[in-house]
Amino acid sequence: NSSHGSGQKEQIRECKMLAGFEPEKIQNLEGARIAIRSLLNVVEEMQAENQRLRKEVGELRDEINRLKGEQGRPEIKPDKPKREKSDHSSEKERRRPQSWQKKSKNDKIQIDRIERLSVDTSELPADARPNGYEKSIVQDLCIRTDNVLFIKDEYYSPSQGTTYLAPMPAGYQGQFGPSIRSLVITLYYAGGMTEPKILEFLTQFGISISTGQISNLLVKEQNAWHAEKETIWRAGLRSSDWQHMDDTATRVNGENQHCHVLCNPYYTAYFTRPSKDRLTLIHLLQGTKELQLLLNPESLEWFDLLRTPQWAQKKLAKLCDQPITLAELKNWIERELAHRLNDQQQARILEAAALTAYYAQTQTPLIPILLTDDAPQFRYLTRLQALCWIHEGRHYKKLSPFVAHHQRLLADFQKKFWIFYHQLNDFREAPDPATAVSLRQRFQELFTTVTGYDQLDQCIAKTLAKQARLLLVLDYPHLPLHNNPAELGVRQRVRKRDISFGPRSLDGVAAWDTFMTLVETAKKLGVSFYAYVFDRLSQSFRLPSLAQLIPPLSYNSSQDPIPI
């Protein structure tokens, strides 16, 4: 862990300085301040190390007890969780108070029938006169079976030796009609219900169905939906010159994999893959069944960017101007380069070949700007990368100073951090080149601050190193300042994972990704997911496809984005 290592180095430096420290030799106030500041930082480091060791010792004791056949310490949760130490949310700091008043929703409610209610005039006093009427809307839902016995005409032709049977109406296939099939898909993917609960729900209304049949409705024969997901994804890539990306762990038949989320304001797409390395992400952007690799003169730029040794580049030049498969390139590297390159350097060569193929193709829209957190696998995927300010703010939230003086320093800096965040938001609302220059200067002033609290100063220095990616919004004011849309997409997968654990087959993986893409995209476009699924399964096709509802960008998204 690099941050832990740097903390240890700082602690060693402070301890060496204190080893030769003699209080009697302090001649002035500044010397006293330096000594006290050093002592406070040593206390802070010792406190953090003490907490870490206490936790580690407790875990080791529990493990020893388990190895002896005993039980570890029981996990006893407090009555009320203490959110102060573990809550890294910045909701309070970044939200500005807004006036709110309750609005009527009656104009959004569809009226299915109107019923006129009359007063029994015989019970009214003699002087009662009509005085208009009052409207009252009551929402209700009617759930009932619609089981149909189809009696199909049958004809037989002796000359043809063929039986002719009347076809089923559109949307009817198998044992269940489009309403039940749509409801099962909606309850599972949009409603977060498990298969056993869906079975229990349906049997309450007299539907005879098994868990296996429910599973088949959710997973099997979904090729049309998979094709629809792909059109949504490609339309989403064309709809803006920037995209959000994030990922979360998921389980597939008990094995650890990763779910990747790609989105913008008009769509959210899900992709489950075994890994989350950069090569996997490039394959995602390519949108092809097999990873495409290409070596040509443009690959040299990627080799330089990814720091491939010059001697290796000269050997790779022999493979230029030809597509090559992943297996072929791996075998060639093993023969020609592996004796002098480590695994990381070999992976960089594969990434360079994949990036060359991605930028050379014309089938998939290129992403000019990617907005992510600062995880290393997101680097170099696109020409430009913007970083999430909220994610950056979490690094400061995770600091838990022990010394009161350090607590005040941290609180003061966090206040300035979020003031600057709000200034960036104001700039987005009214972009101006002069304001952009001023904000760049303000960034330099803020993130070159030296507080004397070492852990905080290390965080500040790391933020300063990300200046270009954090301030990309000053060149492209339409960019968001955070990656929350992708994190919200990830949260939906996490909730689904908590409820249903994970898919158990490749068909299940594809179904989860496809229907979660449809659910979240329909939500963003203001479309009822149930109505959309029923429209397709009933073969009515009255609703336009979700891909058609995603607005296209006004210029070719494969071009460079337009700055301010």
Side-chain angles (χ1 to χ4, degrees):
N1 187 304
S2 59
S3 61
H4 181 61
S6 62
Q8 283 186 324
K9 290 177 182 177
E10 189 67 26
Q11 184 178 339
I12 292 171
R13 184 183 68 81
E14 298 282 0
C15 288
K16 283 183 177 179
M17 187 183 72
L18 291 173
F21 170 68
E22 296 183 14
E24 293 80 6
K25 292 185 177 181
I26 297 177
Q27 300 294 326
N28 51 45
L29 187 60
E30 183 59 28
R33 285 198 185 99
I34 294 173
I36 293 171
R37 190 178 296 121
S38 298
L39 285 170
L40 291 179
N41 279 309
V42 169
V43 169
E44 204 69 71
E45 292 288 348
M46 293 295 186
Q47 174 69 13
E49 185 71 4
N50 186 37
Q51 290 179 347
R52 187 185 68 81
L53 291 174
R54 282 175 179 270
K55 181 180 178 182
E56 186 175 335
V57 168
E59 292 172 350
L60 290 173
R61 284 176 176 171
D62 291 342
E63 184 63 22
I64 291 171
N65 288 335
R66 280 190 287 269
L67 291 172
K68 289 180 177 179
E70 303 173 2
Q71 292 184 345
R73 290 176 299 173
E75 183 181 356
I76 303 175
K77 296 182 179 180
D79 294 335
K80 292 184 179 181
K82 297 181 179 180
R83 297 178 57 87
E84 298 82 23
K85 294 184 179 180
S86 60
D87 187 7
H88 301 141
S89 171
S90 58
E91 189 81 11
K92 181 179 178 181
E93 292 88 346
R94 63 189 174 85
R95 292 294 183 192
R96 289 176 170 175
Q98 296 179 351
S99 58
W100 178 87
Q101 59 183 19
K102 188 174 181 179
K103 298 180 181 178
S104 173
K105 298 180 181 178
N106 287 347
D107 57 337
K108 299 179 181 179
I109 298 175
Q110 175 185 319
I111 304 299
D112 298 304
R113 61 191 175 95
I114 299 176
E115 186 173 337
R116 187 68 178 262
L117 302 179
S118 302
V119 177
D120 186 354
T121 56
S122 63
E123 298 181 357
L124 297 176
D127 61 346
R129 297 290 183 268
N131 191 34
Y133 57 86
E134 179 181 301
K135 293 181 179 180
S136 180
I137 297 177
V138 176
Q139 298 182 80
D140 203 356
L141 188 64
C142 179
I143 302 178
R144 61 178 181 83
T145 59
D146 186 28
N147 302 330
V148 184
L149 171 62
F150 290 106
I151 302 175
K152 300 180 283 186
D153 286 341
E154 181 179 314
Y155 288 83
Y156 176 73
S157 171
S159 62
Q160 300 292 326
T162 304
T163 298
Y164 296 89
L165 197 63
M168 293 286 283
Y172 284 86
Q173 61 184 48
Q175 303 177 52
F176 305 100
S179 294
I180 284 184
R181 288 186 285 145
S182 302
L183 183 61
V184 167
I185 290 173
T186 302
L187 292 178
Y188 187 76
Y189 291 109
M193 288 179 65
T194 63
E195 292 181 24
K197 282 299 178 183
I198 294 174
L199 175 65
E200 183 179 332
F201 177 82
L202 293 176
T203 54
Q204 292 291 328
F205 299 97
I207 300 298
S208 178
I209 191 171
S210 68
T211 53
Q213 289 168 324
I214 290 176
S215 179
N216 288 339
L217 293 178
L218 293 170
V219 172
K220 299 296 184 181
E221 299 179 1
Q222 308 292 2
N223 288 337
W225 293 114
H226 298 328
E228 188 132 359
K229 176 207 171 181
E230 184 169 337
T231 62
I232 289 171
W233 170 59
R234 293 187 183 277
L237 291 179
R238 292 188 178 93
S239 63
S240 71
D241 63 347
W242 53 269
Q243 303 283 331
H244 295 281
M245 185 177 269
D246 203 355
D247 59 74
T248 185
T250 190
R251 302 273 285 179
V252 176
N253 197 25
E255 295 183 357
N256 293 326
Q257 294 199 17
H258 300 271
C259 177
H260 303 271
V261 174
L262 193 65
C263 67
N264 69 13
Y266 307 111
Y267 85 108
T268 300
Y270 293 82
F271 308 88
T272 300
R273 297 292 185 271
S275 177
K276 65 172 185 177
D277 59 11
R278 188 180 292 126
L279 200 62
T280 298
L281 299 183
I282 298 169
H283 189 193
L284 265 182
L285 300 182
Q286 288 181 353
T288 54
K289 186 175 182 181
E290 300 293 335
L291 178 67
Q292 302 297 306
L293 302 180
L294 177 64
L295 291 172
N296 63 22
E298 291 184 6
S299 304
L300 298 176
E301 296 181 22
W302 295 112
F303 288 144
D304 287 337
L305 189 64
L306 298 172
R307 299 179 181 178
T308 302
Q310 289 296 323
W311 67 266
Q313 292 190 37
K314 291 178 182 178
K315 287 198 171 189
L316 286 161
K318 300 175 183 178
L319 301 177
C320 274
D321 295 323
Q322 59 176 312
I324 187 170
T325 67
L326 181 62
E328 289 171 345
L329 185 53
K330 280 185 173 181
N331 290 336
W332 187 89
I333 292 173
E334 182 67 26
R335 285 195 316 270
E336 303 291 335
L337 307 177
H339 62 289
R340 294 180 61 184
L341 296 181
N342 58 36
D343 291 343
Q344 188 179 48
Q345 290 172 319
Q346 294 177 43
R348 299 295 89 83
I349 293 174
L350 299 177
E351 292 165 6
L355 285 167
T356 303
Y358 170 59
Y359 280 93
Q361 57 81 40
T362 56
Q363 291 78 26
T364 303
L366 301 180
I367 300 176
I369 304 175
L370 199 60
L371 202 165
T372 66
D373 58 35
D374 58 350
Q377 67 267 23
F378 296 122
R379 296 291 302 270
Y380 312 124
L381 294 179
T382 53
R383 297 296 186 189
L384 296 171
Q385 183 192 14
L387 291 184
C388 172
W389 273 90
I390 293 176
H391 187 273
E392 191 64 26
R394 288 178 195 157
H395 297 308
Y396 298 93
K397 277 273 187 178
K398 290 178 181 179
L399 294 178
S400 54
F402 174 73
V403 178
H405 175 62
H406 291 167
Q407 292 171 4
R408 288 191 294 271
L409 289 174
L410 176 61
D412 181 60
F413 185 83
Q414 283 181 306
K415 183 177 180 181
K416 295 175 181 177
F417 181 98
W418 292 111
I419 288 175
F420 185 76
Y421 173 86
H422 290 306
Q423 290 172 343
L424 288 176
N425 250 332
D426 293 339
F427 169 81
R428 292 180 67 244
E429 297 295 327
D432 176 67
T435 306
V437 172
S438 174
L439 287 171
R440 290 186 196 278
Q441 294 173 347
R442 173 63 181 143
F443 183 95
Q444 280 287 330
E445 294 169 2
L446 181 59
F447 294 102
T448 53
T449 302
V450 177
T451 64
Y453 171 24
D454 287 347
Q455 293 178 7
L456 175 58
D457 290 344
Q458 290 165 16
C459 269
I460 294 173
K462 289 177 182 178
T463 301
L464 180 65
K466 305 170 190 173
Q467 178 175 354
R469 291 178 289 162
L470 284 169
L471 294 185
L472 196 63
V473 66
L474 297 181
D475 294 320
Y476 306 95
H478 61 291
L479 291 178
L481 290 177
H482 54 73
N483 200 33
N484 273 13
E487 294 198 4
L488 291 174
V490 161
R491 187 179 300 174
Q492 296 305 316
R493 183 57 174 259
V494 171
R495 287 175 177 170
K496 183 65 183 165
R497 182 188 68 200
D498 291 343
I499 294 168
S500 301
F501 298 108
R504 292 170 299 202
S505 65
L506 293 179
D507 286 341
V509 170
W512 274 45
D513 288 346
T514 288
F515 284 109
M516 291 196 71
T517 296
L518 293 168
V519 167
E520 294 305 307
T521 301
K523 190 186 300 182
K524 287 184 174 181
L525 297 174
V527 175
S528 164
F529 178 69
Y530 173 81
Y532 189 75
V533 173
F534 179 80
D535 180 79
R536 292 304 188 260
L537 292 180
S538 65
Q539 298 181 20
S540 301
F541 299 106
R542 295 189 180 93
L543 298 178
S545 70
L546 296 178
Q548 290 176 331
L549 296 175
I550 296 175
L553 195 61
S554 58
Y555 64 92
N556 187 349
S557 61
S558 65
Q559 297 173 353
D560 289 334
I562 300 174
I564 181 174

Coordinates of all heavy atoms in Angstrom, one line a residue, residues 150 167-182 217 533-541:
F150 N -57.8 -21.8 -25.8 CA -57.8 -21.6 -27.3 C -58.2 -22.9 -27.9 O -57.6 -23.9 -27.7 CB -56.5 -21.1 -27.8 CG -56.1 -19.7 -27.4 CD1 -55.1 -19.5 -26.4 CD2 -56.7 -18.7 -28.0 CE1 -54.7 -18.2 -26.1 CE2 -56.3 -17.4 -27.7 CZ -55.4 -17.1 -26.7
P167 N -53.2 -20.5 -36.2 CA -52.1 -20.0 -35.4 C -52.6 -19.3 -34.1 O -53.7 -18.8 -34.0 CB -51.4 -18.9 -36.3 CG -52.6 -18.5 -37.2 CD -53.4 -19.7 -37.4
M168 N -51.7 -19.2 -33.1 CA -52.0 -18.5 -31.9 C -52.0 -17.0 -32.1 O -51.3 -16.5 -33.0 CB -51.0 -18.8 -30.8 CG -51.0 -20.3 -30.3 SD -52.4 -20.7 -29.3 CE -51.9 -19.9 -27.8
P169 N -52.8 -16.2 -31.4 CA -52.7 -14.8 -31.5 C -51.3 -14.2 -31.2 O -50.5 -14.9 -30.6 CB -53.7 -14.3 -30.5 CG -54.6 -15.4 -30.2 CD -53.7 -16.6 -30.3
A170 N -51.0 -13.1 -31.8 CA -49.7 -12.4 -31.6 C -49.4 -12.3 -30.1 O -50.3 -11.8 -29.3 CB -49.7 -11.1 -32.3
G171 N -48.2 -12.6 -29.7 CA -47.8 -12.4 -28.3 C -48.0 -13.6 -27.4 O -47.5 -13.7 -26.3
Y172 N -48.8 -14.6 -27.9 CA -49.0 -15.8 -27.1 C -48.1 -17.0 -27.5 O -48.1 -17.4 -28.7 CB -50.5 -16.3 -27.2 CG -51.5 -15.4 -26.4 CD1 -52.0 -14.2 -27.0 CD2 -51.8 -15.7 -25.1 CE1 -52.8 -13.4 -26.2 CE2 -52.7 -14.9 -24.4 CZ -53.2 -13.8 -25.0 OH -54.0 -13.0 -24.2
Q173 N -47.4 -17.5 -26.6 CA -46.5 -18.6 -26.9 C -46.3 -19.4 -25.6 O -46.2 -18.8 -24.5 CB -45.2 -18.2 -27.5 CG -44.4 -17.2 -26.6 CD -43.1 -16.7 -27.3 OE1 -43.2 -16.3 -28.4 NE2 -42.0 -16.8 -26.6
G174 N -46.2 -20.7 -25.7 CA -46.0 -21.5 -24.5 C -47.2 -21.5 -23.6 O -48.4 -21.3 -24.1
Q175 N -47.0 -21.6 -22.3 CA -48.1 -21.8 -21.4 C -48.6 -20.4 -20.7 O -49.6 -20.4 -20.0 CB -47.7 -22.7 -20.2 CG -47.3 -24.1 -20.7 CD -46.8 -24.9 -19.5 OE1 -47.5 -25.1 -18.5 NE2 -45.6 -25.5 -19.6
F176 N -47.8 -19.4 -21.0 CA -48.1 -18.1 -20.3 C -48.2 -17.0 -21.3 O -47.4 -16.9 -22.2 CB -47.0 -17.8 -19.2 CG -46.9 -19.0 -18.3 CD1 -45.8 -19.9 -18.4 CD2 -47.8 -19.2 -17.2 CE1 -45.7 -20.9 -17.5 CE2 -47.6 -20.2 -16.4 CZ -46.6 -21.1 -16.5
G177 N -49.2 -16.1 -21.1 CA -49.4 -15.0 -21.9 C -48.5 -13.9 -21.7 O -47.7 -13.9 -20.8
P178 N -48.6 -12.8 -22.5 CA -47.6 -11.7 -22.4 C -47.7 -10.9 -21.1 O -46.7 -10.4 -20.6 CB -48.0 -10.8 -23.6 CG -49.4 -11.2 -23.9 CD -49.5 -12.6 -23.6
S179 N -48.9 -10.9 -20.4 CA -49.0 -10.2 -19.2 C -48.2 -10.8 -18.1 O -47.5 -10.2 -17.3 CB -50.5 -10.1 -18.8 OG -51.2 -9.3 -19.7
I180 N -48.3 -12.2 -17.9 CA -47.5 -12.9 -16.9 C -46.1 -12.8 -17.2 O -45.2 -12.5 -16.3 CB -48.0 -14.3 -16.8 CG1 -49.3 -14.4 -16.1 CG2 -46.9 -15.2 -16.1 CD1 -49.8 -15.8 -15.8
R181 N -45.7 -13.0 -18.5 CA -44.2 -12.9 -18.8 C -43.7 -11.5 -18.5 O -42.6 -11.4 -18.0 CB -44.0 -13.3 -20.3 CG -44.2 -14.8 -20.5 CD -43.9 -15.2 -21.9 NE -44.9 -14.8 -22.9 CZ -44.7 -14.3 -24.1 NH1 -43.5 -14.2 -24.6 NH2 -45.7 -14.0 -24.9
S182 N -44.4 -10.5 -18.8 CA -44.0 -9.1 -18.6 C -43.9 -8.8 -17.1 O -43.0 -8.2 -16.6 CB -45.0 -8.1 -19.2 OG -45.0 -8.3 -20.6
L217 N -38.4 -18.0 -17.9 CA -39.0 -16.7 -18.4 C -38.0 -15.6 -18.2 O -38.0 -14.6 -19.0 CB -40.3 -16.4 -17.7 CG -41.5 -17.3 -17.9 CD1 -42.7 -16.9 -17.1 CD2 -41.9 -17.3 -19.4
V533 N -42.0 -3.7 -21.8 CA -41.8 -5.1 -21.9 C -43.1 -5.7 -22.5 O -43.0 -6.6 -23.4 CB -41.4 -5.8 -20.6 CG1 -41.4 -7.3 -20.7 CG2 -40.0 -5.3 -20.1
F534 N -44.2 -5.3 -22.0 CA -45.5 -5.9 -22.5 C -45.7 -5.5 -23.9 O -46.2 -6.3 -24.7 CB -46.7 -5.3 -21.6 CG -48.0 -5.8 -22.1 CD1 -48.4 -7.1 -21.7 CD2 -48.8 -5.1 -22.9 CE1 -49.7 -7.6 -22.1 CE2 -50.1 -5.5 -23.3 CZ -50.5 -6.8 -23.0
D535 N -45.4 -4.3 -24.3 CA -45.5 -3.9 -25.7 C -44.7 -4.8 -26.6 O -45.2 -5.2 -27.7 CB -45.0 -2.4 -25.9 CG -45.1 -1.9 -27.3 OD1 -46.3 -1.6 -27.7 OD2 -44.1 -1.9 -28.0
R536 N -43.5 -5.2 -26.2 CA -42.7 -6.1 -27.0 C -43.2 -7.5 -27.0 O -43.2 -8.2 -28.0 CB -41.2 -6.0 -26.6 CG -40.6 -4.6 -26.9 CD -40.7 -4.2 -28.4 NE -39.9 -3.1 -28.7 CZ -40.4 -1.9 -28.8 NH1 -41.7 -1.6 -28.6 NH2 -39.7 -0.8 -29.2
L537 N -43.5 -8.0 -25.8 CA -43.9 -9.4 -25.7 C -45.3 -9.7 -26.3 O -45.5 -10.7 -26.8 CB -43.9 -9.9 -24.3 CG -42.5 -9.9 -23.6 CD1 -42.7 -10.4 -22.1 CD2 -41.6 -10.9 -24.3
S538 N -46.1 -8.7 -26.3 CA -47.5 -8.8 -26.9 C -47.4 -8.5 -28.4 O -48.4 -8.7 -29.1 CB -48.5 -7.8 -26.3 OG -48.1 -6.5 -26.5
Q539 N -46.2 -8.1 -28.9 CA -46.0 -7.8 -30.3 C -46.9 -6.7 -30.8 O -47.2 -6.7 -32.0 CB -46.1 -9.1 -31.2 CG -45.1 -10.2 -30.8 CD -45.3 -11.5 -31.7 OE1 -45.9 -11.4 -32.8 NE2 -44.8 -12.6 -31.2
S540 N -47.2 -5.8 -29.9 CA -47.9 -4.6 -30.3 C -47.1 -3.6 -31.1 O -47.5 -3.0 -32.1 CB -48.6 -4.0 -29.1 OG -49.4 -4.9 -28.4
F541 N -45.9 -3.4 -30.5 CA -44.9 -2.4 -31.1 C -45.5 -1.0 -31.3 O -45.2 -0.4 -32.3 CB -44.3 -3.0 -32.4 CG -43.6 -4.3 -32.2 CD1 -44.2 -5.5 -32.7 CD2 -42.4 -4.3 -31.6 CE1 -43.5 -6.7 -32.5 CE2 -41.7 -5.5 -31.4 CZ -42.3 -6.7 -31.9

